[in-house]
Amino acid sequence: KIVSLVPSWTETLLRADLNVVGRTRFCIHPAEQVKNIQVVGGTKSLNISELLALKPDYVLLDREENKKEMAEQLEAHNVRLIVSHVE
């Protein structure tokens, strides 16, 4: 189970047919698939209790897209992170 906090990654994960259980309100593509995925905040803010309730295996973030504090908050709850950094 994956929570994606990066819109472009959400689209990629869904096209790869992976189990995305949480997303940001900016993750809007593909529309038919994301409409059934729980929103856990935005790219700069997070509802940590909603995210933790999903019991994700991984949370996907991006260094440019998300705040460092979000990653730190998730790490404090022992959530496994995948952090991308496209150059």
Side-chain angles (χ1 to χ4, degrees):
K1 298 189 312 185
I2 303 168
V3 171
S4 176
L5 302 178
V6 184
S8 58
W9 273 119
T10 302
E11 187 171 355
T12 300
L13 295 168
L14 290 171
R15 292 197 187 277
D17 202 30
L18 295 173
N19 186 18
V20 179
V21 297
R23 65 181 177 95
T24 74
R25 66 180 170 273
F26 302 107
C27 300
I28 58 172
H29 298 291
E32 281 302 307
Q33 288 178 280
V34 297
K35 70 180 181 182
N36 298 316
I37 299 173
Q38 184 172 337
V39 173
V40 295
T43 56
K44 307 292 186 221
S45 64
L46 184 61
N47 185 322
I48 190 74
S49 60
E50 286 184 9
L51 186 148
L52 293 173
L54 295 172
K55 298 182 185 210
D57 297 306
Y58 295 98
V59 175
L60 200 147
L61 302 101
D62 182 80
R63 282 182 57 188
E64 296 297 322
E65 188 78 26
N66 307 110
K67 292 183 174 183
K68 181 179 179 182
E69 293 82 11
M70 293 168 71
E72 292 169 345
Q73 187 177 25
L74 292 165
E75 286 177 327
H77 289 277
N78 297 314
V79 175
R80 290 187 286 183
L81 305 178
I82 299 172
V83 181
S84 63
H85 182 62
V86 179
E87 292 187 51

